[in-house]
Amino acid sequence: MAIKTILCIEDDRFIGEMYVRSLKKEGYEVDWIVDGNDGLIAARNKQYDVILLDVMLPERRGTEILEALRGGEEDLIPHSHVIILTNFEQDDESRAAMQKNADAYLIKAEITPKKLISVIKQLKDI
Amino acid sequence: MAIKEPKKTNYFWTSFHAKSIILTIFLQIIITAAAGLLLVYVGKLKIDSSEFIIIVGAIFAANLILNLISNNYAISPTRSMVAAVTHILGQQTNLPVPDANSNKNNKTGLGDALRTILGIKIEVDNSIDSAEVESLKSQLSIVTNMLDTTTCGFVAIDSNRKITYANKAAPSHVNTENITELDLLFSGDDALRKWIDECENSSVRGEHIWTRIPDSLPNQENRRFFDVVASYEKGRIAETILVLIDRTSLYSVDEENLDFLSFAAHELRGPITVIRGYLDVLEGELADKFEGDQHELFRRLIVSSTRLSGYIDNILNTSRYDRRHLKVNLAESTINKVYDVIKDDMMLRAGSQNRLLAASFPSDLPTIAVDLSSMSEVIGNLIDNAIKYSNEGGTINVTAAVNGDFVDVSIQDHGIGMPESVVSNLFQKFYRSHRSRETVAGTGIGLYISKAIVESHGGRISVRSEDGKGSIFIISIPIYATVADKLQSVDNSNERLISQGKGWIKNHSMYRG
């Protein structure tokens, strides 16, 4: 089944709106959450094809969310792709730790919604 | 006073012994000849008879044996004394140490002489501990005090790479195993060790200067910066000597600039994301509605926002590089792929400034070991410069060719060029030529970070320029096949990025020479 549902966890209103607008226009079903805690709950309650995860989030950081979802023995989101989207300079260790559990790690300032969509299209079905 | 070591004491015995034997044999020949002639003279024997040969031969043999025995007896006390003297001088010899207490030596009285000679050893040792040593010690303490009161650091390293001396100004500490360690963070962790290795393998003398070497990580208190001058001389007691000049006051200003720049750059990324994003989205959505020059103006918005984004990357990378955090992830790729990352932006940028950008690469170039994102940033910087420093309507040529183990990428403009005085400073941080300060906007870090990135690839960057005629910048990037072994031996299991294929390398520095 092709990728259809996307969860966007992004606290910057402008950036979040921009991604949601472009993704919806492209035909995806998008849920947008601005808070880390709610983001984690949403990711656990519903099965998404793709999760777009910011790093610097209120309440709960992106690193913690990913750790909670994929850091334990059991992968809680085995049917989801995770794309990290950040403008924050992480140190190498944290970045490597996140990359291990994610499908892509992108700097927001270096991509446009079009490029984000092309990355999502490259993802294979799980 | 210390006893002066006689020269060749250990050679004396060999030479003396040989001479005495030769002399004995020589004397026997003369004596035997005289005896033989006497026997012939008195008519007892005929010179051509066999009895003559037998008798003369017997006299010679008997005399020789007896004389050698007596000769050996006569020189044996000399042998014992020479052996004793050689022994206390600590020279190498085949002579055994004579036994001063043997019955024979005690009977003859030689024992006393030998005991006296062997006893001198103690006196020799005692004499070293006396006045001369005191004077040496006081001279040494004057020098040590002097070195400790200078602001320059001095460090001596012996051939086993152990620090044998570090004065107070040298940033060092003694670890729990009582070994002195330097507190200097060279850009490659083992830059100093590698340099000494290189010297050891290839030269008798060497000198190298590192600039802007910090003693601690950023944000630590009292962080200091040093210029390090290293000199190496094979066989010297302190094989490597480091002189460290504290340049904190000079470099810390730049550091503060960088702290601010890096902070500002992060803050700028948020708005840039939205500006670039919506420009990209809207260009498609509004394409049919543009009138007159609106489309061209819109393109300028896109070009400007991409440039801004590029400058922010430059600033962040410079900050990373100076904090020793710049990493390149080398993977097998082609120069075409590197250029593709920035191609559209560059074409748009050149077009909007009325420059012609002509890029063509031979199709048979080998693959290179490259970090797509940072190397495309370098080529982007160089094309950006070529646009800035060339004239309206000018052409910028981007080409590539194999040069030994490298692929050389050249970016050539036919613009204003540079005098030689400018070229030599070109790759320094915050350097802006007098002329460019007046006429062209820029931060002065584009070439600095480009050089850092290229060198992090194990490559080189160079420039040829002629005032008024234009410049050509050449980047040499290692051919993948020449470094593949070293890259593959690095553990890369944790590194993964969707846009960049396989072969991610965590740290390239392992293969740099």
Side-chain angles (χ1 to χ4, degrees):
Chain A
M1 200 182 79
I3 286 166
K4 192 155 177 61
T5 55
I6 296 176
L7 171 64
C8 173
I9 311 176
E10 167 63 65
D11 68 320
D12 187 299
R13 198 174 139 231
F14 284 7
I15 295 176
E17 266 179 15
M18 180 174 78
Y19 290 152
V20 172
R21 183 182 184 276
S22 300
L23 291 169
K24 281 189 171 164
K25 229 176 153 79
E26 198 63 28
Y28 295 108
E29 287 170 21
V30 190
D31 290 338
W32 173 26
I33 309 280
V34 294
D35 164 287
N37 270 340
D38 296 345
L40 178 58
I41 293 166
R44 296 198 59 174
N45 285 348
K46 184 175 160 186
Q47 182 181 315
Y48 291 95
D49 298 327
V50 175
I51 298 172
L52 303 177
L53 184 59
D54 191 11
V55 175
M56 296 299 277
L57 287 166
E59 303 298 328
R60 201 185 276 266
R61 296 278 169 95
T63 41
E64 296 170 55
I65 296 174
L66 193 59
E67 184 65 24
L69 292 172
R70 285 202 164 149
E73 280 184 12
E74 190 193 351
D75 184 354
L76 300 179
I77 44 165
H79 302 289
S80 305
H81 292 283
V82 177
I83 296 177
I84 315 287
L85 281 163
T86 181
N87 272 333
F88 172 69
E89 282 298 299
Q90 280 189 294
D91 60 76
D92 286 333
E93 286 74 23
S94 331
R95 181 175 169 149
M98 286 198 92
Q99 279 181 17
K100 198 171 65 178
N101 287 325
D103 296 84
Y105 188 107
L106 305 168
I107 301 293
K108 286 187 274 192
E110 287 170 10
I111 61 152
T112 59
K114 270 192 208 164
K115 284 187 186 159
L116 176 62
I117 289 165
S118 81
V119 167
I120 292 172
K121 283 186 175 161
Q122 283 178 49
L123 297 172
K124 294 191 175 66
D125 292 341
I126 297 180
Chain B
M1 215 190 88
I3 289 178
K4 288 266 188 253
E5 216 172 81
K7 276 189 183 145
K8 295 185 178 174
T9 303
N10 49 352
Y11 297 126
F12 170 76
W13 175 252
T14 326
S15 142
F16 173 75
H17 192 209
K19 279 180 191 160
S20 71
I21 291 172
I22 291 167
L23 190 65
T24 309
I25 295 170
F26 181 67
L27 287 174
Q28 282 319 303
I29 292 170
I30 291 174
I31 289 168
T32 313
L37 285 174
L38 191 68
L39 287 173
V40 172
Y41 180 72
V42 296
K44 293 278 183 199
L45 286 171
K46 283 185 182 160
I47 200 158
D48 53 354
S49 65
S50 57
E51 286 114 331
F52 176 79
I53 293 168
I54 292 167
I55 289 174
V56 168
I59 292 173
F60 179 76
N63 257 339
L64 185 62
I65 290 165
L66 290 173
N67 270 299
L68 283 177
I69 291 169
S70 76
N71 175 59
N72 189 47
Y73 177 75
I75 66 172
S76 76
T78 314
R79 177 175 56 204
S80 298
M81 292 214 241
V82 169
V85 171
T86 312
H87 173 69
I88 65 162
L89 290 173
Q91 296 178 6
Q92 289 227 321
T93 173
N94 294 327
L95 293 174
V97 183
D99 181 4
N101 297 321
S102 71
N103 285 339
K104 188 178 139 204
N105 284 337
N106 275 335
K107 269 186 202 163
T108 57
L110 184 65
D112 270 350
L114 291 176
R115 271 191 294 277
T116 310
I117 294 172
L118 291 169
I120 293 174
K121 187 174 184 180
I122 300 153
E123 286 167 32
V124 172
D125 286 346
N126 284 343
S127 67
I128 287 173
D129 259 348
S130 59
E132 195 161 311
V133 170
E134 283 309 311
S135 131
L136 281 173
K137 273 185 182 166
S138 79
Q139 282 174 30
L140 187 65
S141 86
I142 291 170
V143 175
T144 317
N145 282 336
M146 231 162 58
L147 288 175
D148 279 341
T149 50
T150 59
T151 50
C152 270
F154 288 93
V155 176
I157 301 171
D158 69 9
S159 54
N160 298 322
R161 310 292 164 83
K162 270 194 189 139
I163 295 176
T164 50
Y165 172 77
N167 71 343
K168 274 188 184 161
S172 62
H173 68 273
V174 178
N175 71 9
T176 48
E177 284 160 19
N178 212 21
I179 294 169
T180 309
E181 289 176 339
L182 271 183
D183 299 324
L184 284 179
L185 304 175
F186 287 90
S187 53
D189 290 341
D190 47 5
L192 179 63
R193 185 182 62 76
K194 279 189 175 164
W195 177 76
I196 299 178
D197 281 347
E198 216 171 89
C199 287
E200 214 170 61
N201 294 334
S202 62
S203 54
V204 178
R205 279 193 196 87
E207 190 168 300
H208 192 85
I209 298 176
W210 289 270
T211 55
R212 202 190 280 270
I213 305 296
D215 67 339
S216 53
L217 291 168
N219 306 325
Q220 287 183 335
E221 264 185 50
N222 298 325
R223 190 172 189 230
R224 292 188 294 162
F225 287 89
F226 294 87
D227 284 351
V228 179
V229 183
S231 77
Y232 173 91
E233 190 173 330
K234 196 164 271 176
R236 190 163 64 185
I237 296 174
E239 213 166 60
T240 308
I241 293 176
L242 304 180
V243 180
L244 311 154
I245 304 152
D246 191 331
R247 298 278 200 194
T248 310
S249 55
L250 188 69
Y251 294 142
S252 60
V253 180
D254 284 355
E255 288 304 302
E256 283 159 21
N257 280 342
L258 277 172
D259 280 348
F260 170 73
L261 285 175
S262 141
F263 178 75
H266 285 142
E267 292 298 301
L268 288 170
R269 269 186 168 173
I272 279 286
T273 307
V274 179
I275 294 171
R276 286 189 73 184
Y278 275 127
L279 286 173
D280 193 37
V281 171
L282 290 177
E283 195 193 20
E285 293 180 9
L286 297 177
D288 306 337
K289 303 188 174 97
F290 286 132
E291 288 175 6
D293 57 1
Q294 281 176 344
H295 194 247
E296 173 54 29
L297 298 180
F298 200 85
R299 277 210 319 173
R300 289 184 188 176
L301 280 177
I302 294 175
V303 166
S304 303
S305 70
T306 340
R307 276 178 72 180
L308 191 51
S309 167
Y311 293 147
I312 291 170
D313 288 343
N314 269 347
I315 294 167
L316 286 170
N317 273 335
T318 302
S319 163
R320 261 180 234 147
Y321 176 69
D322 286 348
R323 286 150 199 272
R324 324 287 173 213
H325 285 169
L326 182 73
K327 295 259 168 78
V328 293
N329 298 306
L330 301 182
E332 183 175 13
S333 191
T334 62
I335 188 63
N336 273 304
K337 283 187 183 151
V338 176
Y339 186 68
D340 279 348
V341 176
I342 49 164
K343 187 179 168 189
D344 293 346
D345 284 346
M346 290 300 136
M347 294 303 278
L348 205 57
R349 201 176 295 186
S352 70
Q353 308 256 10
N354 276 326
R355 309 289 198 273
L356 185 67
L357 178 58
S360 71
F361 307 107
S363 55
D364 57 348
L365 285 177
T367 55
I368 47 180
V370 72
D371 177 329
L372 276 185
S373 125
S374 62
M375 190 53 78
S376 60
E377 187 182 326
V378 171
I379 295 175
N381 279 334
L382 295 178
I383 293 177
D384 204 46
N385 277 349
I387 292 175
K388 275 187 200 166
Y389 296 102
S390 60
N391 306 312
E392 188 88 5
T395 307
I396 292 141
N397 297 97
V398 184
T399 54
V402 174
N403 177 9
D405 287 346
F406 297 87
V407 169
D408 280 0
V409 183
S410 55
I411 293 101
Q412 182 174 25
D413 69 65
H414 307 279
I416 60 173
M418 295 168 278
E420 212 160 291
S421 59
V422 173
V423 173
S424 55
N425 291 314
L426 213 52
F427 295 101
Q428 286 180 19
K429 186 159 59 179
F430 300 133
Y431 177 78
R432 311 279 330 280
S433 73
H434 182 67
R435 188 162 51 187
S436 67
R437 270 178 209 279
E438 287 170 359
T439 55
V440 184
T443 51
I445 57 172
L447 288 176
Y448 172 76
I449 192 59
S450 296
K451 181 171 186 266
I453 290 172
V454 173
E455 288 178 354
S456 300
H457 277 73
R460 295 184 300 264
I461 187 167
S462 61
V463 58
R464 288 201 304 271
S465 188
E466 205 174 330
D467 206 5
K469 295 206 169 162
S471 308
I472 176 163
F473 284 82
I474 297 165
I475 316 163
S476 307
I477 310 168
I479 291 174
Y480 182 76
T482 66
V483 293
D485 295 352
K486 287 160 185 165
L487 288 179
Q488 278 158 4
S489 66
V490 184
D491 174 27
N492 58 2
S493 52
N494 289 339
E495 303 279 323
R496 199 151 66 109
L497 255 188
I498 192 163
S499 53
Q500 311 277 353
K502 57 180 178 169
W504 285 92
I505 309 301
K506 206 169 175 190
N507 191 346
H508 65 286
S509 66
M510 289 182 68
Y511 86 91
R512 262 198 292 166

